Every structure is written in C-alpha cells, then in structure tokens.
Amino acid sequence: MDKKQFSERDICTKYITPALERAGWDITTQIREEFPLTRGRIIVRGKLHTRAQHKRADYVLFYKPNLPIAIIEAKDNKHSLGDGMQQGLGYAEMLQVPFVFSSNGDGFLFHNKITSDGTIERELGLDEFPSPQTLWQWWISHQGLNDAQQTLVTQDYYSDGSNKTPRYYQLLAINKTIEAIARGQNRILLVMATGTGKTFTAFQIIWRLWRSKAKKRILFLADRNILVDQTMTNDFKPFGSAMTKIQKRQANKSYEIYLSLYQAVTGTEEERNIYKQFSPGFFDLIVIDECHRGSAAADSAWREILDYFSAATQIGLTATPKETKEVSNIDYFGEPIYTYSLRQGIDDGFLAPYKVVRIDLDKDLSGWRPSKGMVDKHGNEIEDRIYNQRDFDKNLVLERRTQLVAQKVTEFLKQTNRFDKAIVFCENIDHAERMRQALNNENSDLVAQNSKYVMRITGDNEEGKAELDNFIFPESVYPVIATTSKLMTTGIDAQTCKLIVLDQRIQSMTEFKQIIGRGTRINEDYGKYYFTIIDFKRATELFADPDFDGDPVQIYEPKDLEDSPVPPDDPVDDPTDDPTDEGFIYPLDDGIGGFRLGDNGADQDGFRVRRYVVANVEVKVAAERVQYFDADGKLITESLKDYTRKTLAKEFASLNDFLRRWSDADKKQVIIEELANQGVFFEALAEEIGRDCDPFDLICHVAWDRPPLTRRERAEVVKQRNYFAQYGDQARRVLDALLQKYADEGVEPIEEPQILTIAPFTQFGTPVELIRAFGGLSQYQQALRELEQALYSA
C-alpha cells in the first residue's frame, strides 16, 4: 500500500515506534504516545461552558519515568519531514526538553538545542535515531552533572501503580528543585497557583530526596491544622509509619518525616520552643507550605525555626510570594526556581475561570455624613464627618447595607442554584456574624429545613470551624454559604465553591490572590467548571494591577552604603496591617474588652466607640455589571451578541466570505467547533434570539442582521423544491429521514457516518444496502453535500 495513503496514526505505528524500539527505547517505560500537556481552557458564556483545544504531544520520550528528554511530532506522509518541527518546538518549550524530532515516516528531522558543533538541525534515517543513553549523556554533559548528582536526579518518583503522571508543570517544578538541590542550592522558592497541586509536588520532591537518602530527616511546616491533617491523610500517606505529626508539645525523635504547625513548636516563652529539643543539625530538609504567611518576615516565629535549622535545605511553597519593604520571600529564599501562575493554570485548563459581577452601592461611591447630633441605635452620638467605603463595617455599620448585600447574593443564587457552595468574605468577625444573620433572613425557607444552610466560619467560633470539613467535602450538602473574614483566605481546598463574594476592602495583592484561589479548583463530577465573583468593594480592580500574576518583584530598602539608593516603587500596603490607620482598634492591656482612645472621637469615659451602628439609612445599588474573560483571557464587559459579532468579524471578512467557507466545508461541524473554541455559544445565542435556529442562521443574524429561519423552515423549503425526485425510492427515504433529523437536531448529527446505524434508517436496510442505493460511498457523501447546499441556499 502507498505510504501516502496512511493516516498519521498509521505512520506512528508502522514506522516511528519501530524505529524507536530498534534504537533501544523501552515502549513500556520510556515512550509515551499522545502525551497530554494541557486540558484546554474552559470558556464560559452565560450558564454554558466549553473547552478550547487541548495540547497533546504525539510522543514524549523519557530517560526514566517522569524525566522527559525529547519530543517527537508526527505527520502523515503527505507532509514533508520537517512539517511538525515548529509544533514540536512549542511542546518542547513547555516541557523544557532539549531534543525535538519531526517525522513523516521517511526519517527524522532532529533539532538539538544544546549542540556544540553549530548544526542545530539535521536529517536522520529511520535507523539512525539516538539511543536513550546517547541523549542522556549529551544532556548531563551540558548540565555538568557528576555521578553523585546524576544518582539524585534520576531517583524514581513515587508511583501507586496506576501510571499516573504528574502534569507537565509539576514535572518541571519537581525536576528543577531536585536538580538545584543536587547542585548544592539550599534555599529554594516554588511559586504555584492555588489549586495546581503544591502539596503533591512537595510530596514527590520529598519522596525522591528521602528514598535516595540525600535527605534523611524532613520537617514539613504549615500554619493551619487542617493543612497538616489533609496532607498526612492524602498526598503524604505513602510515607506510612516513617511519618508523624508533632503535637502536644512533644518531640519524638524516632521518625523520619515530621509534619507540624509552626505554632506547635514555637512560643513566647523559651520552654515552649519545642523545636529546640531537636539539635540544629537534626533535619536535613525543611519544607514551608504557604510560606508567604510568616517565614518571609525576619522577625517572625517561622524565621526563628528556619534560622535555628539553618544548615538544612529549605524549600518555600506559595501561590503568592510576599514582597514589601518589611517582608520578602525572595530576600530569604532567592528568586523562584519555578513559577506557575493563576493565569497559566486557567489558560491550560487546569484551573477554573471566573466571571465577575461588580455591584456598586450608592453610599460606597458617594460616602455618608450624619446629620448634626445624630445618634446611632445604641445612643452613641456619631462623629460628624464623611464616612466612606474605608469605614463601612469597621468604624460604621449601615445595617441596610448588610441587608442589601445579602439580598443581592441570595438573588444571584436563586437565579443559578441555591445549593452552590459560596464564601462571603467580610471585613471582620462582627461583620461576618451580621452577614450570617442577614443571609439567614433572606433564605428563611431553606434555613428552616436545615439551620446549617448558612454558617459563620471564623477563628473564634468553634461551631463554625467544626463545619469547615463539611463545607469543603463535595458530597456534604451543608453548609452551603459560609461567612468569614480571614480564616478561609488560604489553604482551604473548596473544590465545589462556585461563588466568591467580596464585601471586604482588599488592598493586598497577596490576600487578593489567595481569596480568588478559593474558587479556582475544577470538579467536573459536581459540575464545577467555573466560578463567579460578586464584588461589592471594587476589589477586582486589582485585576488591572501589572503585578496580578506577573513575576514577583522584590521591594527593598538599601542596607549598605554600597547598595543602590534608587528603590523600586512600593506596592499599596494593606491598611488592616497598619496600627496607625484610621479605624484600627487598640486593645487595652487590662483584658476587660475596652478600647484605647483613638483619633476619631471618644465617649465620656475616655473610650472611643468601637463602631457606630446605624439602622435607618437607605442604601441602593448604583451600578451593576457582569464581566467575564474571553478566549484570550481578557476581562470584558459586553453582551453575548456583541462579543459574538466581534469574534465573527475577526474570523470572516464579510458575509460572502462566511458563505463561501461554509459552503466549501466538507463538515459544517468543523466550523462550529472552531467558533465554539473561541467562545461562541450557539445554544446561548439561540436562547437569546428565541428561535430554534441552525448555527448558520445564528451567525448570519448576529453578524450581518439577516432574518433567521428555523431548521424546520429550511427543511420545508427543500421539500417544496421536490429535491429528491432524481433519486430512487430507497435513497429518497434516506434523504427524507436525513432532512427530518436536521429539522429535529441540526446539521451535526446528519454528518456523522454512524447515522445510518440508528432508527429510522435501520428500517430501510443495512448501512451497506443504503449506501449502495446511492451507487456507493462517494455518491452517498456527494448526495449529503448537495442536501446541505439545498438547505443553506434557502
């Protein structure tokens, strides 16, 4: 058979794979075909979603499992030898491998990124493919790795026997970290967006170091008890009896893997610093999860531990490295060895995209000033000044504002799904409690069925904290809505959370990214493909900040005379961290619950009022708009029709251009899928236009204002033309049934080859008999094309 008649898959099976096996590549452990790289970005319009095209390499070659070294991109024999090279180079850049091959079955075009002889590309015969050892030797020579370093770098990953492979970015993070440690680097920072598997990545790093005996005693530090417990029962479970959790301030030195809250090993009194029961050289490796929360500060309790075990290799994990004048992850750990951002995760389809609903309240925009001598509901005279968004729910409570926020959140859930998990981020614990009450009143019917429909989950409330696991667990219906302030900003793996409500003034990019991260996980089993942010405090304006998902930038103050006197720009500081900020409450030392005199008034006993509570001031919605991200990740605010019109204008120069391409397409489904990948949702458009229309009519109507016909109307026009008269009885029955299928379901089903294997076609004869009625397969396909032309010429 002529090689040019073979499909791309045939070329792989008959020529490429045999060439690899002859070169010594093990098909079981070293060759992965159709290796998935990305899943395809989720594109959302209205209540519908689709995925863009995923990326998949034809071959990834591994020197050892999870150590990728080469890419092969295959094409059929109608293409030239090098036609797949540019595509392969793109995949190689993602996986950061040095060797790329392109093949059409005649041989290979070899691209060597690390060549020393100046010939970066050359052709190879099918029997000239390099062996695994050859490529590996070239690579380690280029890397400058000695035998001891190679032993560590090639240490096996943990495998549970399921052939589960880490995602491409996890492979990069793990391998880059191991290579850095092999070279002697002892301070390492890994930046990975929330939901991208930091803990799994950390486990594989620790496993390889531990199994190779490069690191014998390891300490994993976190700042939330739930993080430690989740880690032990999930990702770290394979460590088994070698692992322990430090608790009850007891240091048992008979284990190898230790997990701990940093609070469990430190204290204000010397005898409570349990970590000092271990010698400074006891641990070889310390991994600090969510390292932005403490270890970055030179005077933090975490840094005490890190300084004490300074001889150990230390790895910081975070989604949001903190960089301010006072706190710097980079200053301590160095530049990130690898960064995988929220934006990359969404673009690759591993993280959920989000819509943004911004609701501006009139008092937030214009401020509010009390009338002279006005008192609040508790009889306190309200200081006469203008109160604005900075004050609300801190110094001043407008009860109707809280009620309006609860009303709008409930309205959203009623229009989507009242049992979608939601987190409402409030200014403080008092605000979270008032929000719980307001949401209870707005949802009294469901609260009457189960009192845990709304729960306040804050650090001071044991009942609420006890429900945190149920909120996180996908199979637990209750709680549905959680009100919180700080407790749920980080480390909470809420896979099914579909709504994030921001009623908290957020000025810190670190905190903003952490909060957004509560919704970014995808859970397809529970229909979680995207989430929505309802923003009452304009916090999402931080999207416009160039630092949003950009590379971390260190901000510093010169310490030595030799340092440059020119500092970089400072970020906006979080006012909640500043005790001089207006509205900050100074707790008294006597423990009676009073507050020191502040700068905005005091009562007759010398204490300022903590916050005024005003019950009868009306609050209204000033503006409401929905925003979403398009296929390129750009935040836009426009209607579905407008977005579709712009997308079609980019794709088609004119109506005639569209009609020509539609007519020339062997399968209309190809054009429909291409447009869907760009975010054109035909079902949503049909619902908006209100007609049972074909995608052809939706496109012509939205882009060029042509009056749409329904599918049934188009089918009726074809019948009236007596189109079937040229065919025999059996062929006419098939065409008539195809026309009816089109009217009922659209053009896509009638283009599928298996259409003849289902009713009513099975009543007319077998597929072979039906195709023979047209004179053969090519004649049947021609009849189908002519039927479509008749449909769309109407």
Side-chain angles (χ1 to χ4, degrees), residues 84-345:
M85 181 54 72
Q86 291 192 156
Q87 190 176 354
L89 288 170
Y91 296 152
E93 186 174 343
M94 290 182 69
L95 270 176
Q96 298 185 23
V97 298
F99 308 117
V100 186
F101 299 84
S102 172
S103 178
N104 65 353
D106 290 339
F108 298 94
L109 180 65
F110 175 33
H111 183 104
N112 184 349
K113 292 186 176 185
I114 59 172
T115 184
S116 58
D117 63 8
T119 306
I120 199 165
E121 288 191 358
R122 57 194 173 96
E123 293 187 6
L124 302 175
L126 285 174
D127 291 324
E128 295 180 290
F129 198 90
S131 69
Q133 199 58 38
T134 298
L135 292 185
W136 181 250
Q137 286 301 321
W138 288 347
W139 176 234
I140 60 170
S141 296
H142 177 76
Q143 293 286 81
L145 298 176
N146 60 36
D147 290 344
Q149 292 168 335
Q150 282 187 61
T151 301
L152 178 54
V153 167
T154 57
Q155 173 62 45
D156 288 337
Y157 279 62
Y158 171 79
S159 174
D160 60 4
S162 65
N163 292 322
K164 175 186 175 183
T165 301
R167 295 169 177 170
Y168 83 90
Y169 62 85
Q170 293 170 338
L171 284 176
L172 284 172
I174 297 163
N175 291 339
K176 282 176 173 289
T177 301
I178 296 296
E179 287 173 17
I181 292 173
R183 289 193 176 93
Q185 186 172 329
N186 282 323
R187 298 291 179 270
I188 294 169
L189 180 62
L190 275 179
V191 179
M192 296 173 67
T194 300
T196 57
K198 287 193 301 294
T199 311
F200 172 73
T201 300
F203 162 72
Q204 289 288 5
I205 291 169
I206 294 170
W207 177 269
R208 293 175 67 193
L209 293 169
W210 179 62
R211 292 289 290 182
S212 67
K213 302 191 183 303
K215 307 295 177 185
K216 297 178 182 178
R217 294 195 187 97
I218 294 115
L219 174 63
F220 181 88
L221 284 172
D223 73 334
R224 298 281 173 88
N225 202 50
I226 189 171
L227 293 179
V228 174
D229 292 341
Q230 283 178 350
T231 299
M232 291 187 70
T233 56
N234 296 324
D235 290 317
F236 279 34
K237 187 176 181 180
F239 286 124
S241 60
M243 173 176 59
T244 188
K245 176 182 176 181
I246 299 176
Q247 51 191 339
K248 297 181 180 179
R249 299 202 169 270
Q250 295 177 0
N252 187 329
K253 301 175 186 177
S254 61
Y255 293 88
E256 296 173 71
I257 312 292
Y258 294 78
L259 291 88
S260 177
L261 292 172
Y262 79 87
Q263 300 95 321
V265 292
T266 61
T268 54
E269 301 171 8
E270 186 63 25
E271 62 271 17
R272 296 179 68 79
N273 285 327
I274 305 304
Y275 69 88
K276 291 189 176 179
Q277 293 183 23
F278 298 99
S279 66
F282 185 83
F283 291 110
D284 306 306
L285 174 68
I286 300 178
V287 178
I288 309 95
D289 195 22
E290 305 291 358
C291 67
H292 65 279
R293 294 185 61 82
S295 60
D299 58 351
S300 74
W302 291 40
R303 279 289 287 272
E304 291 179 21
I305 302 172
L306 301 187
D307 290 342
Y308 182 78
F309 298 112
S310 60
T313 298
Q314 297 172 3
I315 303 173
L317 304 175
T318 182
T320 51
K322 182 174 283 189
E323 301 301 324
T324 67
K325 289 185 296 184
E326 294 79 19
V327 177
S328 172
N329 289 115
I330 292 175
D331 185 54
Y332 184 79
F333 289 105
E335 292 288 339
I337 197 167
Y338 182 69
T339 298
Y340 189 72
S341 69
L342 173 64
R343 190 180 304 280
Q344 286 173 282

Side-chain angles (χ1 to χ4, degrees), residues 18-59:
L20 295 176
E21 292 184 284
R22 288 194 299 271
W25 294 85
D26 188 309
I27 194 167
T28 305
T29 61
Q30 294 181 309
I31 302 172
R32 290 288 302 274
E33 294 187 58
E34 297 188 338
F35 185 80
L37 294 169
T38 71
R39 297 192 63 194
R41 180 190 175 95
I42 295 173
I43 306 170
V44 180
R45 292 292 172 271
K47 298 177 183 178
L48 301 176
H49 71 273
T50 188
R51 278 193 184 271
Q53 191 67 35
H54 64 274
K55 292 181 180 179
R56 182 177 61 193
D58 289 330
Y59 288 84

